Amino acid sequence: MAKQGYHHGNLRQALIEAALKLIEEQGPQGFTLSDAAKSAGVTPAAVYRHFAGRDDLIAECARQGFAIFGDLMEHAYNDGKPTALRAFEATGRAYLAFARKFPGHYMAMFESGISMNADPTLARAAERAGAILLRAAEELTRQLPPGRRPPAAMFAAHISAMSHGVVELYTRGTPGARSPFPPEDLLETGIGIYLRGLGLVPPDS
Amino acid sequence: MAKQGYHHGNLRQALIEAALKLIEEQGPQGFTLSDAAKSAGVTPAAVYRHFAGRDDLIAECARQGFAIFGDLMEHAYNDGKPTALRAFEATGRAYLAFARKFPGHYMAMFESGISMNADPTLARAAERAGAILLRAAEELTRQLPPGRRPPAAMFAAHISAMSHGVVELYTRGTPGARSPFPPEDLLETGIGIYLRGLGLVPPDS
DNA sequence: TGTACATCAGTGAACGCGCGTTCACTGATGTAC
DNA sequence: TGTACATCAGTGAACGCGCGTTCACTGATGTAC
């Protein structure tokens, strides 16, 4: 796909992919503009033809990550079909699937310390992904009697927190206790118990 | 407390405190040995009288963090008094309280990318803190009929994930959506719903 | 109490390194005639 | 089809910087006599 010779052909995307790989391997802070250039077979200066600098390259990784993330979430939600509950559960699984399949993107998005406010397009991409989960939560809480219906934003925040926590603590080798359970099971059961607590799932299932 | 003049008096602890402050302000990766030395009013070379190097300084921050964390958790758990449930809830609150009160420590522990395996004392400190939560989970699951009793390790992992997720996503200003709920409320309600899902809390409360 | 000396915490200069970024340039490409 | 030229993606050398780390040193402290 990349042309040989003096002109690269699609250096911009090649740099992004190189950056993602490096971020995945060494973390978003260990990532180096010079290394990314080298990986793409190019001089560090060439990067500046396509990006404003190091931060811009990371931001673009995050931006693409949020786009993919949003797509996956949307696809998993599938407009609430077949049922609000099933769609919601699929969304939760999509969260973890994304983190596992696109670790570089995930790290660029959540661990690079990038400032959302600095880049409106980045903020918008992040918002979109969040909105899907929020909508899934809203649909689902409709099934509850108004009296015991939690705010959808809080519901969504709980699920985000649990999902993110599972990714950070049990998906990588890094921190202390690697649990004896696969992260997928951990998240599935965790969300299941939580939904039961809300009365959205029968007590015995 | 620190002596004036050529000899510092307690440079070791002063360096740790300077490092913690810098980590809190700039993240564990932005942290610089030279800056920590400067903060403590000392030449970078002086650090090497007390630490093997930069990584060792961070590791010590994490080690002290796990010690404090363990103490707080143990104190909150209070041997399961007055009830297993109350003690468990207090432990969850202690998690978040620690993260808020000791952000530098928390970051050194969970975000510095330090390798637990490299330092056995660090691994032991981390294990101790984890063991307290595990014990709290074990005590509490005893109240459930054996048939619907989840493995305590899984229970503990769920709580860890939710707690860590709340800290990472809603305690700092960094990532996209800052929720409209205080992190303390978020965690309290989240754990509450989860416990209800397990049947450990009555459905109406 | 006073002096000599061992200890060792901190100095200051220096190092090699790799980073992000800049700049004038050069070579490949594609278009106009 | 062939030539002249504009465009611009990538080069390569250089920069200033701040980092972690080293080393021979020096000055303060406390102890032995």
Side-chain angles (χ1 to χ4, degrees):
Chain A
M1 86 212 246
K3 295 185 198 166
Q4 306 284 33
Y6 194 90
H7 286 80
H8 186 285
N10 195 7
L11 181 56
R12 185 182 161 85
Q13 196 56 30
L15 284 169
I16 291 169
E17 276 152 31
L20 286 167
K21 195 164 196 176
L22 287 167
I23 289 172
E24 177 183 341
E25 287 165 2
Q26 316 174 20
Q29 309 293 345
F31 156 75
T32 272
L33 182 146
S34 303
D35 270 349
K38 203 184 193 179
S39 271
V42 123
T43 289
V47 177
Y48 290 82
R49 288 276 157 206
H50 301 277
F51 300 97
R54 188 194 123 98
D55 285 355
D56 188 34
L57 177 49
I58 298 181
E60 179 59 25
C61 291
R63 218 176 289 126
Q64 294 195 3
F66 277 115
I68 299 171
F69 186 56
D71 289 348
L72 285 183
M73 296 283 276
E74 198 159 358
H75 183 260
Y77 182 57
N78 192 26
D79 277 322
K81 286 176 272 191
T83 68
L85 178 61
R86 291 268 181 249
F88 186 87
E89 287 170 338
T91 309
R93 278 192 296 272
Y95 188 109
L96 186 53
F98 171 77
R100 301 215 104 187
K101 200 165 180 188
F102 303 93
H105 287 98
Y106 194 90
M107 287 167 146
M109 291 155 67
F110 292 109
E111 296 168 43
S112 68
I114 230 168
S115 83
M116 294 293 178
N117 315 7
D119 186 340
T121 69
L122 187 56
R124 229 177 308 127
E127 229 167 276
R128 178 194 158 221
I132 296 166
L133 183 58
L134 183 59
R135 189 180 150 207
E138 270 167 0
E139 284 311 320
L140 197 47
T141 50
R142 286 243 179 85
Q143 307 192 349
L144 293 172
R148 47 173 70 196
R149 193 184 289 171
M154 177 174 268
F155 182 5
H158 286 148
I159 299 299
S160 293
M162 174 98 74
S163 305
H164 184 68
V166 166
V167 170
E168 292 295 327
L169 292 181
Y170 305 110
T171 269
R172 322 217 205 284
T174 324
R178 203 172 193 174
S179 98
F181 308 101
E184 280 77 8
D185 292 358
L186 220 43
L187 185 58
E188 185 102 23
T189 53
I191 291 181
I193 293 169
Y194 177 90
L195 292 179
R196 205 176 307 158
L198 280 180
L200 286 163
V201 154
D204 15 88
S205 109
Chain B
M1 86 209 245
K3 294 185 200 169
Q4 304 285 31
Y6 195 90
H7 284 81
H8 186 285
N10 195 7
L11 182 55
R12 185 181 160 86
Q13 195 58 28
L15 283 169
I16 292 169
E17 276 152 32
L20 286 168
K21 194 163 195 177
L22 288 167
I23 290 173
E24 178 184 338
E25 285 164 4
Q26 317 175 20
Q29 309 294 343
F31 157 75
T32 271
L33 181 145
S34 303
D35 270 349
K38 204 185 192 178
S39 273
V42 124
T43 289
V47 177
Y48 290 82
R49 287 276 158 208
H50 300 276
F51 299 97
R54 187 193 124 97
D55 285 355
D56 188 33
L57 177 50
I58 298 181
E60 179 58 25
C61 290
R63 218 175 291 124
Q64 294 194 2
F66 277 115
I68 298 172
F69 186 56
D71 287 348
L72 285 183
M73 296 282 277
E74 197 158 358
H75 182 260
Y77 182 58
N78 192 24
D79 278 322
K81 285 177 271 190
T83 68
L85 177 61
R86 292 268 181 248
F88 187 86
E89 288 170 337
T91 309
R93 278 193 297 271
Y95 189 109
L96 187 53
F98 171 76
R100 301 215 103 188
K101 199 164 179 185
F102 302 93
H105 287 97
Y106 195 90
M107 287 166 145
M109 291 154 68
F110 293 109
E111 297 167 41
S112 69
I114 230 168
S115 83
M116 293 292 178
N117 315 8
D119 185 340
T121 68
L122 187 56
R124 230 176 308 126
E127 229 167 276
R128 178 194 158 221
I132 295 167
L133 182 58
L134 184 59
R135 189 180 150 208
E138 270 168 0
E139 283 314 318
L140 196 48
T141 51
R142 286 239 180 87
Q143 307 192 347
L144 294 171
R148 46 175 70 197
R149 193 183 289 173
M154 177 175 268
F155 183 5
H158 285 149
I159 298 299
S160 292
M162 173 96 78
S163 306
H164 185 67
V166 166
V167 169
E168 292 294 328
L169 293 182
Y170 304 110
T171 268
R172 321 216 207 285
T174 325
R178 203 171 194 176
S179 99
F181 308 101
E184 280 77 8
D185 292 358
L186 220 44
L187 186 58
E188 184 103 24
T189 54
I191 292 182
I193 294 169
Y194 178 90
L195 293 179
R196 207 176 306 159
L198 281 180
L200 286 163
V201 155
D204 15 88
S205 106

